[in-house]
């Protein structure tokens, strides 16, 4: 009996010690196996002469009434139109939109014809069909526009990062795909991992486009550039960073008054989403800095209560991997995030999962020794969802002890969901691949920083 109660108090002591240090380090240990790419044969091009492939859509304007439809044709640039019609209308009244065509060369690879068609002024909250191709082969898809932007519009985002195209990537992707709640994916960077192959084998960009098509053709994926999008390889004559990515994935940066597709913003339902580039200049006076400075003045929380930032490299990360890589950007922008009460910052890059407390480190300067992050009710929650399952494998070494800023961390592959309910509440869940989709390994009611700035961790 005595030994038993000693054990109980020891356990109690241990769990208290755990609280003092930081949050939860999950005891779930995933079986470690090498992540291997799926073979190209798993994603053959669709049948038929010059069939449109790698179909993907993203938001095409400021408010969600626009869509950019992108696809690749392998042999001929024609036909170059998309036909589309509202699902409740007769197909005979279909509209047509011309695409812009681009191609690129990378080392000894030549791309197919890459088409981007921007459709604007659609009706809100409406299902549309669209059709690509010609007499030889047509392919039909559909999407649903978001409801009109407004403060209490419920909307559900999936969050996926660092996906790649391994068997693990397939599990993550299929797991998300089976969750029927997801309406739009917030993708936090690192798409195909083509650059991990000899000469950045750009055929991997094509297989990746085919791999994700069954989702990307039907719901928008909001793109963030990661380091694997740079494809910077001067040793083989490739000196233009982001060439394949920016040719293949278009974003509505002009409607956000951005001068570069690597940083932009959109409004969708009740969310204002700002996308930043970890791998573009962001120091004082740079284009990205000047843009972001103005950006915060455009956010109206009465219209879009939820302010979400996406950036590939995390600012608060307690894995050994990429430790403090996001630090210089944090130093530049964190005070703006706190002043403007950003709700959530979504990142990837570290191949694992982590959720932070609401913390800030804005007091710190080079001489005052205040270098420890502190609880801050105005600070965002930082989420690292770099756990898509790419060829580089899992980040499974933690810094110890768990720092106080870290609320939950686990070295498993998975994806997250953010269900915005209204202007005050959003339900957030993280799903590890080994569980059935309804199971959430980590979950939290998130309270809006503008409308209901309560501390979630104490409720
Ligand atoms: C490109 O170069 C690599 C390495 O020299 C070679 O293995 C590959 O077959 C080439 N591909 C084409 C399309 O020429
Ligand atoms: C594709 O369609 C065009 C126009 O209808 C036709 O001229 C051509 O022969 C077709 N090509 C193939 C391979 O079926
Ligand atoms: C990907 O996952 C799906 C669903 O589990 C499965 O049907 C498919 O065969 C997988 N693809 C590969 C290449 O393993
Ligand atoms: C550094 O931080 C301390 C404490 O917040 C502050 O008093 C001091 O003015 C700061 N130094 C500079 C140069 O801003
Ligand atoms: C917002 O949603 C939460 C969670 O569903 C609910 O408890 C709350 O009552 C809602 N607020 C309003 C004003 O409807
Ligand atoms: Fe990365």
């Amino acid at each position: 009996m005595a030994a038993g109660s000693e054990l109980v108090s020891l356990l109690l002591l241990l769990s208290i010690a755990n609280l003092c240090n930081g949050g939860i380090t999950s005891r779930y240990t995933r079986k470690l196996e090498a992540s291997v790419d799926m073979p190209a044969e798993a994603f053959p091009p669709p049948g038929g002469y010059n069939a449109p492939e790698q179909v993907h859509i993203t938001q095409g304007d400021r408010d969600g009434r626009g869509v950019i439809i992108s696809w690749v044709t392998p042999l001929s640039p024609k036909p170059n139109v998309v036909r589309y019609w509202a699902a409740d209308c007769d197909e005979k009244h279909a509209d047509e939109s011309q695409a812009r065509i681009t191609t690129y060369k990378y080392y000894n690879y030549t791309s197919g014809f890459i088409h981007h068609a921007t459709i604007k002024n659609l009706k809100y909250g409406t299902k549309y069909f669209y059709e690509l191709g010609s007499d030889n082969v047509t392919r039909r898809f559909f999407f649903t526009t978001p409801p009109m932007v407004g403060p209490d519009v419920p909307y559900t985002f999936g969050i996926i990062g660092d996906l790649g195209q391994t068997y693990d990537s397939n599990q993550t992707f299929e797991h998300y795909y089976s969750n029927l709640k997801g309406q739009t994916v917030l993708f936090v960077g690192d798409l195909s991992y083509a650059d991990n192959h000899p000469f950045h084998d750009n055929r991997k960009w094509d297989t990746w486009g085919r791999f994700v098509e069954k989702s990307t053709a039907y719901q928008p994926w909001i793109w963030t550039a990661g380091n694997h999008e740079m494809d910077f390889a001067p040793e083989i004559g490739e000196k233009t960073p982001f060439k394949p990515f920016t040719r293949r994935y278009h974003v509505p940066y002009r409607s956000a008054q951005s001068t570069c597709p690597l940083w932009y913003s959109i409004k969708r339902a009740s969310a204002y989403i700002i996308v930043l580039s970890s791998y573009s200049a962001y120091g004082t006076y740079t284009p990205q800095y000047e843009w972001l400075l103005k950006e915060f003045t455009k956010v109206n929380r009465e219209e879009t209560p939820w302010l979400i930032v996406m950036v590939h490299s995390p600012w608060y990360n307690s894995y050994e991997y990429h430790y403090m890589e996001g630090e210089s950007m944090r130093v530049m922008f964190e005070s703006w995030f706190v002043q403007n009460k950003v709700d959530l910052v979504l990142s990837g890059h570290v191949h694992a999962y982590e959720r932070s407390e609401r913390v800030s480190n804005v007091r710190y300067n080079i001489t005052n020794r205040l270098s420890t992050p502190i609880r801050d009710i105005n600070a965002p929650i930082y989420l690292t969802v770099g756990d898509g399952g790419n060829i580089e494998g899992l980040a499974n070494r933690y810094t110890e002890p768990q720092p106080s800023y870290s609320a939950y961390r686990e070295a498993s592959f998975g994806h997250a969901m953010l269900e915005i309910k209204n202007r005050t509440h959003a339900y957030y869940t993280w799903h590890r691949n080994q569980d059935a989709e309804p199971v959430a390994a980590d979950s939290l009611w998130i309270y809006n920083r503008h409308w209901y700035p309560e501390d979630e961790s104490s409720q």
Side-chain angles (χ1 to χ4, degrees):
M1 280 305 268
S5 70
E6 262 165 37
L7 186 65
V8 166
S9 39
L10 183 68
L11 283 175
L12 260 175
L13 211 72
L14 282 174
S15 59
I16 289 165
N18 190 34
L19 267 181
C20 294
N21 280 331
I24 297 164
T25 298
S26 172
R27 295 220 171 74
Y28 182 92
T29 43
R30 182 184 170 272
K31 195 168 56 150
L32 287 179
E33 289 153 4
S35 292
V36 180
D37 266 10
M38 296 178 282
E41 300 76 60
F43 303 102
Y49 171 76
N50 202 39
E53 58 170 90
Q54 304 173 49
V55 182
H56 53 93
I57 64 172
T58 196
Q59 185 161 319
D61 69 347
R62 190 80 183 130
D63 304 317
R65 292 175 67 202
V67 177
I68 303 174
I69 299 178
S70 306
W71 70 98
V72 176
T73 50
L75 302 171
S76 157
K78 289 192 172 155
N80 186 34
V81 292
V82 49
R83 293 179 64 240
Y84 62 97
W85 63 97
D88 58 7
C89 289
D90 194 327
E91 188 187 335
K92 290 200 193 78
H93 304 303
D95 283 311
E96 283 192 357
S97 177
Q98 294 281 330
R100 288 196 296 154
I101 303 173
T102 181
T103 61
Y104 74 90
K105 289 187 192 301
Y106 191 96
Y107 184 54
N108 64 359
Y109 168 92
T110 304
S111 75
F113 299 93
I114 304 169
H115 308 250
H116 300 284
T118 303
I119 300 174
K120 290 198 169 151
N121 300 317
L122 298 170
K123 285 177 282 183
Y124 283 117
T126 303
K127 180 173 175 179
Y128 285 87
F129 287 108
Y130 67 100
E131 210 168 71
L132 306 170
S134 67
D135 306 346
N136 307 84
V137 49
T138 59
R139 298 185 67 205
R140 182 181 292 190
F141 308 90
F142 57 84
F143 60 82
T144 301
T145 51
M148 189 165 100
V149 169
D152 290 301
V153 181
Y155 204 75
T156 299
F157 294 98
I159 306 167
I160 302 177
D162 302 68
L163 186 57
Q165 46 193 307
T166 70
Y167 291 95
D168 286 317
S169 320
N170 191 42
Q171 262 200 321
T172 305
F173 176 78
E174 291 286 344
H175 206 193
Y176 169 70
Y177 186 74
S178 73
N179 187 326
L180 300 176
K181 288 181 187 164
Q183 294 172 287
T184 290
V185 170
L186 302 176
F187 192 85
V188 290
D190 285 357
L191 286 64
S192 76
Y193 287 74
D195 61 344
N196 276 10
H197 297 272
F199 311 101
H200 294 228
D201 189 346
N202 268 233
R203 291 173 301 178
K204 288 283 179 185
W205 277 105
D206 293 313
T207 48
W208 196 81
R210 298 200 283 260
F211 160 45
V212 294
E213 186 191 75
K214 75 179 186 186
S215 175
T216 60
Y218 297 90
Q219 61 173 251
W221 284 39
I222 307 302
W223 304 109
T224 313
N227 52 309
H228 288 278
E229 275 66 73
M230 278 190 284
D231 282 309
F232 176 65
E235 69 281 8
I236 53 173
E238 291 301 340
K239 298 172 190 163
T240 310
F242 302 107
K243 193 208 276 181
F245 174 65
T246 54
R247 298 295 190 281
R248 289 168 182 272
Y249 294 90
H250 279 195
V251 298
Y253 69 100
R254 286 197 188 87
S255 63
Q257 276 95 49
S258 166
T259 50
C260 176
L262 301 173
W263 57 88
Y264 63 101
S265 64
I266 56 167
K267 298 187 224 175
R268 196 168 184 86
S270 44
Y272 194 106
I273 297 163
I274 296 177
V275 178
L276 297 179
S277 172
S278 298
Y279 306 100
S280 307
Y282 46 77
T284 316
Y285 318 123
T286 61
Q288 184 168 207
Y289 176 100
E290 297 291 344
W291 177 81
L292 183 59
L293 185 58
K294 291 204 193 78
E295 192 58 16
F296 284 114
T297 67
K298 298 181 200 161
V299 182
N300 174 5
R301 305 294 271 274
E302 309 271 332
E303 183 192 39
T304 50
W306 295 93
L307 180 52
I308 298 170
V309 177
M310 299 165 68
V311 62
H312 185 62
S313 187
W315 297 359
Y316 286 96
N317 155 36
S318 73
Y319 288 85
E320 285 187 9
Y321 305 76
H322 305 302
Y323 190 60
M324 289 178 77
E325 273 183 29
E327 187 65 4
S328 51
M329 197 188 223
R330 183 194 67 73
V331 170
M332 289 308 302
F333 295 143
E334 187 179 24
S335 61
W336 297 359
F337 282 25
V338 174
Q339 277 157 24
N340 292 286
K341 301 187 163 83
V342 170
D343 291 294
L344 287 171
V345 178
L346 314 179
S347 297
H349 199 39
V350 178
H351 300 159
Y353 171 67
E354 186 160 29
R355 171 171 60 81
S356 83
E357 302 288 358
R358 291 197 183 277
V359 289
S360 74
N361 199 3
V362 291
R363 301 174 308 163
Y364 172 54
N365 62 34
I366 196 162
T367 50
N368 67 14
R369 302 195 206 109
L370 302 174
S371 67
T372 308
I374 54 163
R375 288 290 181 109
D376 188 335
I377 199 82
N378 294 318
I381 292 174
Y382 294 85
L383 300 169
T384 302
V385 191
D387 48 0
N390 63 72
I391 197 169
E392 293 178 346
L394 206 56
N396 59 352
R397 288 192 310 277
Y398 304 103
T399 61
E400 300 288 2
Q402 185 165 12
S404 57
Y405 59 78
S406 174
Y408 185 101
R409 55 184 188 176
E410 181 176 321
S412 293
F413 295 131
H415 72 275
M417 302 293 296
L418 179 68
E419 299 173 37
I420 295 175
K421 304 291 187 190
N422 53 35
R423 72 184 68 194
T424 54
H425 285 67
Y427 189 57
Y428 168 79
T429 51
W430 174 70
H431 304 257
R432 73 164 78 86
N433 286 355
Q434 285 71 19
D435 297 330
E437 178 65 26
V439 178
D442 182 33
S443 64
L444 185 74
W445 277 100
I446 295 180
Y447 303 148
N448 186 270
R449 286 306 91 190
H450 178 82
W451 289 99
Y452 190 49
E454 301 292 318
D455 182 0
E456 295 94 342
S457 62
S458 63
Q459 318 256 321

